[in-house]
Amino acid sequence: MPVAVTGPCGRLIVFLRRTGACALGLRRYRGEREVTAVAEERADRIDASTPHIARIYDYWLGGKDNFAADREAAEKVIEATPAVLPGVRANRRFLGRAVRYMADQGVRQFLDLGTGIPASNNTHEVAQAIDPDARVVYVDNDPIVLAHAHALLTSATGTVDYLEADAREVGAILETAAKTLDLSKPVGIMLIAILHCIPDEDDPKGIVDALLDAVPAGSHLAISHPAIDQVPEYSAKAEASLTKSMGMKVTFRRREQVQAFCDGLELVEPGVVPAQEWRPDPDVPEPGTATAMWGAVARKP
């Protein structure tokens, strides 16, 4: 049975580590046995015949938590554009650099929407390497992510929580996230390769604004987004391929559209740039080819 969805980003899987009632009705579990039980209980919600963006990304990153339909969709995009593989890998490294930058600015709590299947350099791993007490709330929309929740929890030193909500129900997300995060203190909002799943008619800018309105000055936004204008000879084909394979509108955007998500914020230098060019680590080689992925970090004044 397919996962029930109300839009491109659908129902978001949530695992909450602490005990107590969950505002969105999902019980909170502890330990690997309970997590496994939850995964088995929800197995019928996984539609292996329909590609899912989290599992497609998992395949691109060299993971094994994907199905034939995901691999087929992923390969079609690779065929459409050679920039996809360096792009998703540069995107993952950008996430780590963005979290480190925010932590260096004193941010100790993060709201990460669209975290995907656990890989290296997860938000909590980067943040807690700097401050073991850092808090992270993850949101995602694939039941397989829940099956891997124990991996994140066992590596966590601070608090790591997961929320189930609709991506467009920002109020519900914030209400439950506030049980883990202190929204009166700066929050790092992570929107890493997720906004292309929200078409213009669903007002992605409104979603970003609502998230930022709920957090104080000193909060930061990290955003990465597939580019339609870096390698236009390929990107339109990749966008069309993903849209067709996933049966949902996928929207790659131009640099100025991505920068518009940061309106009213202070863009951190070097601004909106290809993801691999945002404050690259000098000892980590980045691809010399186009990645077709924009990256930016901005601070709420």
Side-chain angles (χ1 to χ4, degrees):
M1 180 185 300
V3 178
V5 299
T6 59
C9 291
R11 295 291 299 173
L12 303 178
I13 295 303
V14 176
F15 184 87
L16 293 174
R17 182 185 183 194
R18 299 176 303 163
T19 58
C22 174
L24 299 178
L26 183 66
R27 288 173 294 168
R28 303 182 181 196
Y29 297 82
R30 286 175 181 264
E32 183 171 342
R33 179 180 300 175
E34 288 83 0
V35 172
T36 302
V38 176
E40 293 175 351
E41 176 183 310
R42 290 170 176 256
D44 64 346
R45 295 181 59 189
I46 300 174
D47 181 9
S49 66
T50 301
H52 187 282
I53 193 63
R55 301 193 299 263
I56 290 172
Y57 266 79
D58 176 71
Y59 177 77
W60 284 335
L61 287 169
K64 298 180 180 179
D65 297 297
N66 46 73
F67 300 115
D70 306 307
R71 295 189 287 274
E72 181 180 356
E75 285 292 343
K76 286 180 179 178
V77 178
I78 293 173
E79 183 180 349
T81 173
V84 64
L85 291 182
V88 297
R89 292 163 186 169
N91 179 67
R92 196 71 191 177
R93 292 189 292 273
F94 165 76
L95 180 152
R97 298 196 303 275
V99 173
R100 287 198 302 273
Y101 173 84
M102 290 187 240
D104 288 344
Q105 303 306 304
V107 176
R108 292 295 181 266
Q109 45 186 4
F110 299 83
L111 178 59
D112 186 333
L113 282 83
T115 180
I117 294 169
S120 61
N121 279 345
N122 296 292
T123 296
H124 79 280
E125 293 172 321
V126 179
Q128 291 173 359
I130 296 171
D131 184 343
D133 294 325
R135 292 172 171 258
V136 178
V137 172
Y138 285 116
V139 187
D140 203 277
N141 66 342
D142 185 358
I144 287 182
V145 173
L146 181 60
H148 290 272
H150 69 277
L152 294 178
L153 293 177
T154 56
S155 67
T157 56
T159 300
V160 179
D161 288 359
Y162 296 78
L163 307 181
E164 182 175 7
D166 187 277
R168 293 149 188 79
E169 295 172 350
V170 176
I173 292 173
L174 291 168
E175 179 182 355
T176 308
K179 298 179 183 298
T180 300
L181 309 179
D182 182 351
L183 299 185
S184 69
K185 296 180 179 179
V187 176
I189 297 174
M190 308 296 295
L191 295 174
I192 304 299
I194 182 175
L195 289 176
H196 62 295
C197 293
I198 303 178
D200 292 339
E201 54 266 32
D202 286 346
D203 191 17
K205 179 64 162 60
I207 292 172
V208 176
D209 289 346
L211 290 167
L212 289 166
D213 286 345
V215 296
S219 295
H220 286 67
L221 169 68
I223 182 171
S224 66
H225 199 296
I228 195 67
D229 50 351
Q230 285 190 33
V231 281
E233 66 273 26
Y234 297 121
S235 294
K237 294 178 182 178
E239 179 188 62
S241 179
L242 269 179
T243 294
K244 181 178 180 180
S245 295
M246 295 174 60
M248 54 172 265
K249 176 61 176 173
V250 174
T251 305
F252 291 9
R253 293 184 170 96
R254 300 185 305 276
R255 181 181 182 278
E256 60 266 28
Q257 292 175 298
V258 175
Q259 183 161 329
F261 290 123
C262 302
D263 285 351
L265 305 178
E266 298 170 346
L267 273 171
V268 175
E269 290 293 334
V272 181
V273 295
Q276 75 274 18
E277 296 179 13
W278 195 88
R279 297 182 175 234
D281 294 321
D283 56 343
V284 178
E286 291 288 346
T289 59
T291 60
M293 183 73 70
W294 294 116
V297 174
R299 178 184 181 276
K300 182 174 179 177

